[in-house]
Every structure is written in structure tokens, then in C-alpha cells.
């Protein structure tokens, strides 16, 4: 239990934060993940991954807590996690889901409308299918299936010119989409982010722990973590082997790891716990 009517929580990105940027290993973080569980500190995973991908990772990390999927498009709460049902959620299988963005179908329709104009210049996950996703990403078939099971966003491989890509992205934006360029793919999705999803879930916890002061740590390594890092009580920026730390507007209560993930995750979260008088 947390002392002094204080409830600590950790919201963490996965790739490059809790998982090694290259190998996706997490072993170095496991002892501290177990320690958080014993201390009653919920670890909320917040990623651009799909629900299916997150479920697989939660299994290997023995995580039983709510989680944030597809870059904040939805929050999934295990159906019996709270004694009552969180408002504005729908029961989907074993999870109560709070949706914060339009469904993927909307973006598939928008993409279909552009198929003629940009013929042969783009390939989406939906069109590629599992075998195509394997080819595009190098994932195993099982991983590709989980990556393709998207609810709210659609990765698109652009094969035309950079100028064409700008026009293509602009057309999608005109239809209401948010289009972001990642390393390999354009992601077409709604107006959502991890920060707003975290704020919604924090509010749910506050309602269920009245009288306790929640102090949350957000952990991330990239620009898509910025909204979450910016609004969290404390931010932990994990050093990346491929890019700089994300730039934040705030400069109070910001920790930086020296090491890369996953060792940097353990290093930074331990330091945050020490600030709260908890030595692992
Ligand atoms: Mg990351």
C-alpha cells in the first residue's frame, strides 16, 4: 500500500521505453515490474500497438491493469477490475472499452475514396492482409495478424513521390484524419493522443480512490509520448539510441534516463520511487 493517502501510478510507453528499441527485450525491467505490483502501484501500458498486440505483451509481463491502445484511441479496462462500471465504456469481450477516436472503418472509406486518384501509389495494412503485412514489416505471421487487427487507425505504405505523399496526406486531412509520418508508414487515425487517454483514466481512478492523492509518472521516449509526458505529475524520458529525447514545454519534475530501454526504464522508475521514499 502507498503511505499517507497517496496512490502512485505509472503510465508507460512500450517500444523504446520499456522494450529495447531494436530487440524488444524487456527482461531487465521484470524485477521492477514485479516490485511495482507488490507495492500496489498500477503499471498502465500506453502504446500505438493494437489491442491484440497489447494483450500478448500484457501476458508476458503478467500485467492485469487497464491499458491504452493505438496511441490513445481507446482505453481498455478489464471487466472486473473495478467494482463498478466506468461510465462511457462499452463491454467488448473481457474488457470495458472507452473509445476516444472514430473507428478504423472511417479511414478505410477515406482511403478507398483516394484509390483512383493515387492509383498504385499506396498500400494499407487492410489491403495488404496478413501476408502483405509480413512482407512489409518482417513480423511473424502471428505478430502480423495482431498488428493488422486494428480498431481505430490504419498504417499506409507510400510508394509514390514525396510531393504526391504531401497531396495524399492533405486529402486525408480534409476528410478529418490525423496523418503522421513514422519511420516506415503513414498512420491515418483520429484526433487522439496518449495524454488525453491518460487523463481520462486518471479521472476514473480518482473517482474510485476518493481521499487519496494520485501521483503519476509517465514514461516515454518519442514525440507521440509528449502529450502524456507534458500533463503527467512527473515525466521520465528514456534515452533513445536513434533520436533525441522528446522536447517538453515543462521543465519541472522531468527525469532523464542515462541508459536505453529496458535498463533505462528500471533506472528512471527506481529514481522516481526513491523520490517518494521507496527504495527497491
Ligand atoms: Mg516509444
Amino acid at each position: 500500500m502507498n503511505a499517507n493517502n497517496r496512490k502512485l501510478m505509472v503510465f508507460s510507453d512500450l517500444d523504446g521505453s520499456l522494450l529495447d528499441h531494436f530487440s524488444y527485450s524487456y527482461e531487465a525491467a521484470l524485477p521492477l515490474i514485479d516490485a511495482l505490483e507488490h507495492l500496489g502501484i498500477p503499471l498502465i501500458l500506453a502504446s500505438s500497438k493494437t489491442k491484440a498486440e497489447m494483450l500478448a505483451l500484457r501476458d508476458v509481463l503478467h500485467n492485469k491493469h487497464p491499458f491504452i491502445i493505438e496511441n490513445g484511441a481507446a482505453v481498455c479496462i478489464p471487466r472486473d477490475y473495478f467494482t463498478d462500471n466506468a461510465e462511457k465504456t462499452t463491454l467488448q469481450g473481457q474488457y470495458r472499452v472507452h473509445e476516444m477516436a472514430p473507428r478504423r472503418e472511417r479511414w478505410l472509406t477515406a482511403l478507398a475514396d483516394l484509390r483512383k486518384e493515387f492509383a498504385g501509389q499506396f498500400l494499407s495494412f487492410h489491403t495488404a492482409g496478413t501476408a502483405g503485412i509480413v512482407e512489409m514489416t518482417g513480423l511473424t505471421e502471428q505478430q502480423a495478424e495482431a498488428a493488422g487487427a486494428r480498431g481505430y487507425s490504419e498504417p499506409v505504405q507510400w510508394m509514390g513521390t514525396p510531393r504526391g505523399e504531401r497531396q495524399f496526406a492533405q486529402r486525408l486531412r480534409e476528410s478529418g484524419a490525423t496523418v503522421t509520418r513514422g519511420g516506415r508508414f503513414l498512420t491515418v487515425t483520429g484526433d487522439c493522443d496518449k495524454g488525453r487517454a491518460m487523463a481520462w483514466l486518471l479521472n476514473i481512478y480518482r473517482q474510485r480512490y476518493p481521499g487519496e492523492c494520485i501521483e503519476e509518472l509517465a514514461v516515454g521516449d518519442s514525440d507521440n509520448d509528449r502529450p502524456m509526458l507534458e500533463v503527467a505529475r512527473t515525466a521520465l524520458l528514456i534515452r533513445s539510441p536513434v533520436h533525441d529525447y522528446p522536447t517538453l514545454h515543462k521543465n519541472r519534475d522531468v527525469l532523464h534516463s542515462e541508459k536505453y530501454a529496458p535498463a533505462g526504464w528500471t533506472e528512471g522508475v527506481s529514481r522516481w520511487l526513491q523520490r517518494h521514499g521507496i527504495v527497491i
Side-chain angles (χ1 to χ4, degrees), residues 13 15 17 221-222 225:
D13 169 51
D15 293 358
S17 295
D221 72 310
S222 293
D225 300 313

Side-chain angles (χ1 to χ4, degrees), residues 191-204:
D191 178 24
C192 56
D193 63 57
K194 293 182 186 181
R196 278 177 270 172
M198 178 181 80
W200 182 83
L201 187 56
L202 273 173
N203 201 36
I204 296 291

Side-chain angles (χ1 to χ4, degrees), residues 57-162:
L57 265 161
R58 279 171 84 252
D59 270 357
V60 298
L61 299 175
H62 308 296
N63 186 293
K64 303 265 187 285
H65 298 288
F67 53 102
I68 294 166
I69 63 169
E70 295 191 45
N71 210 29
V75 182
C76 303
I77 304 172
R79 61 184 297 175
D80 299 324
Y81 189 80
F82 294 118
T83 49
D84 59 342
N85 294 333
E87 70 269 28
K88 294 183 183 161
T89 57
T90 53
L91 188 61
Q92 299 178 21
Q94 295 303 306
Y95 298 88
R96 297 207 67 88
V97 180
H98 175 64
E99 299 183 326
M100 303 187 77
R103 295 280 181 96
R104 177 195 199 184
E105 286 70 26
R106 173 156 171 197
W107 314 125
L108 295 182
T109 305
L111 287 164
D113 290 345
L114 296 177
R115 200 160 287 149
K116 239 186 196 162
E117 190 180 343
F118 297 94
Q121 297 181 77
F122 70 93
L123 180 62
S124 77
F125 270 25
H126 178 75
T127 314
T130 301
I133 296 172
V134 168
E135 215 167 283
M136 289 155 92
T137 60
L139 294 172
T140 66
E141 195 174 321
Q142 199 182 358
Q143 290 168 334
E145 203 168 310
R150 315 194 73 82
Y152 312 92
S153 56
E154 185 65 0
V156 176
Q157 187 171 44
W158 179 258
M159 298 173 294
T161 63

